[in-house]
Amino acid sequence: MIEDASTQERRSLNRLNDRLFKYIFASRQHKANLIRFLNDVLDDPNRIIADIEYLDREQDPPILQGKGTRFDVRAKTSDGRVFQVEVQVRDEDDFLKRCLFYTCANYTSQIVAGEPYGQLGEVVFIAVLDFNTFPDKPDAYHSVQRMMDVENRKCYCSGVEMHFLELPKMRKLGRGKSPDRMTGLERMLMYMGTMGETETLNEIAAYDPDIRRILNMEEAFVKTPELWVNYLIREREQSDWDNYVRSREARGEAKGRAETAGNLIRMGLDLDKIAQATGLPMDEVEALRAGIIED
């Protein structure tokens, strides 16, 4: 049987693509998906979210400015809690500090001078990460950061809470695990972290009606020309940036090896040993030596 175009496209669908992620979780007509995800993250019967309203987000920075892929979903509940969801596919310098900065900025920006502090609502930051942030916790894909008293571990300042969800750990922990043995959050993260259509994802969708509904939304997404074109543009931007980073790293590595070789030449080491130590071809080492002698 010949597959239609949408079926072929979904076989390699990147669910961490900015355009698709926002379509599923940041569209007002699909807010049930976000509510399900937030309740899964909180996993607390005393903090259940029944409804949300979307808040304005800052414009996403272009990938080629070097900020990586970053998408925001900001929403507020009827009781005043503010939620911010970010998807981050690349580790960055001072990433955790940036997360804390934006979380605190969300908290302080709720009121202006003269307004009472009692109007400040809880801010919950959620980061979906396609890399490992806490390597010392290999079996913990969900890390929660709060301000707690160091003696009794009570949280007296409950205004800020940060959740970090590490997809590589979830993929590993979820491998071979049946959907009925997964939590709702685990099934949702397995969906987010899966590329294309897989047997595991189909099994999860058969067990979880919300995931099945989301997969049906994907079919509508790939059949909508404007949405699909924007998705492809975002994929190309990401690919171009990744190639740029790899090229820059390769140039930096080559420059470093050349500098090391130059220092060893000046120290009088044999050229064959320098080539062996740096991994540079002998002709490059000889050319470096000739340049140093000329100088």
Side-chain angles (χ1 to χ4, degrees):
M1 183 176 67
I2 300 176
E3 297 178 336
D4 60 27
S6 65
T7 301
Q8 297 174 23
E9 289 156 349
R10 290 177 62 197
R11 288 195 179 281
S12 59
L13 205 59
N14 175 17
R15 296 183 173 91
L16 299 182
N17 178 287
D18 153 75
R19 301 308 184 228
L20 176 58
F21 186 87
K22 286 180 180 173
Y23 175 79
I24 298 297
F25 294 100
S27 302
R28 285 175 171 78
Q29 68 269 30
H30 298 156
K31 68 178 181 179
N33 299 331
L34 180 62
I35 292 173
R36 150 71 192 266
F37 175 57
L38 297 180
N39 280 323
D40 282 346
V41 172
L42 295 179
D43 191 26
D44 185 344
N46 296 317
R47 303 170 71 194
I48 291 177
I49 299 169
D51 196 11
I52 53 103
E53 62 171 316
Y54 285 99
L55 303 175
D56 291 336
R57 332 177 270 269
E58 295 181 2
Q59 185 175 0
D60 302 316
I63 288 177
L64 294 181
Q65 286 186 357
K67 296 299 184 182
T69 306
R70 179 179 148 211
F71 347 106
D72 294 341
V73 178
R74 296 184 68 240
K76 188 173 185 178
T77 61
S78 58
D79 60 3
R81 286 177 289 170
V82 176
F83 289 82
Q84 177 175 343
V85 181
E86 286 196 12
V87 178
Q88 188 82 9
V89 300
R90 183 187 303 108
D91 197 359
E92 297 176 350
D93 294 338
D94 299 321
F95 169 69
L96 293 177
K97 290 183 178 180
R98 181 179 69 76
C99 293
L100 179 59
F101 177 84
Y102 281 114
T103 303
C104 292
N106 266 315
Y107 185 74
T108 58
S109 65
Q110 295 180 80
I111 61 174
V112 297
E115 292 183 330
Y117 295 111
Q119 292 183 194
L120 290 168
E122 180 184 14
V123 172
V124 181
F125 172 88
I126 301 170
V128 180
L129 310 175
D130 203 23
F131 54 88
N132 290 334
T133 302
F134 308 105
D136 56 330
K137 301 167 61 178
D139 298 324
Y141 67 88
H142 183 187
S143 297
V144 185
Q145 313 289 331
R146 299 189 184 102
M147 294 178 62
M148 291 187 176
D149 188 283
V150 296
E151 293 183 2
N152 59 23
R153 309 294 291 175
K154 288 186 177 181
C155 183
Y156 296 104
C157 300
S158 58
V160 172
E161 180 173 299
M162 303 172 70
H163 296 255
F164 297 92
L165 306 168
E166 299 165 279
L167 291 178
K169 293 179 182 178
M170 186 63 249
R171 293 188 189 102
K172 181 179 179 180
L173 295 172
R175 191 177 301 125
K177 193 174 183 180
S178 61
D180 62 306
R181 294 177 54 239
M182 295 181 184
T183 66
L185 178 59
E186 289 172 346
R187 291 192 294 273
M188 184 63 76
L189 292 180
M190 288 296 287
Y191 158 77
M192 291 181 179
T194 299
M195 293 284 288
E197 184 180 3
T198 66
E199 182 178 350
T200 298
L201 188 57
N202 288 332
E203 291 175 357
I204 291 174
Y207 181 85
D208 192 321
D210 289 338
I211 303 297
R212 183 168 63 248
R213 183 184 69 246
I214 290 174
L215 293 182
N216 291 334
M217 292 175 184
E218 289 183 352
E219 186 172 357
F221 178 88
V222 300
K223 288 182 177 180
T224 305
E226 181 180 358
L227 295 175
W228 184 242
V229 168
N230 286 333
Y231 167 93
L232 295 176
I233 290 173
R234 201 61 164 177
E235 285 292 280
R236 183 55 185 265
E237 287 179 344
Q238 181 65 57
S239 176
D240 288 346
W241 174 249
D242 289 341
N243 290 335
Y244 168 74
V245 170
R246 284 193 292 267
S247 175
R248 185 178 62 182
E249 291 174 347
R251 290 196 302 270
E253 181 182 352
K255 181 180 179 182
R257 287 191 293 170
E259 290 176 350
T260 300
N263 292 333
L264 295 177
I265 289 170
R266 294 182 182 90
M267 293 171 61
L269 269 67
D270 293 339
L271 298 189
D272 59 339
K273 292 183 179 179
I274 294 174
Q276 183 178 3
T278 61
L280 292 174
M282 180 58 73
D283 58 343
E284 290 189 24
V285 176
E286 292 174 343
L288 285 170
R289 180 178 180 276
I292 291 172
I293 292 175
E294 290 177 2
D295 291 342

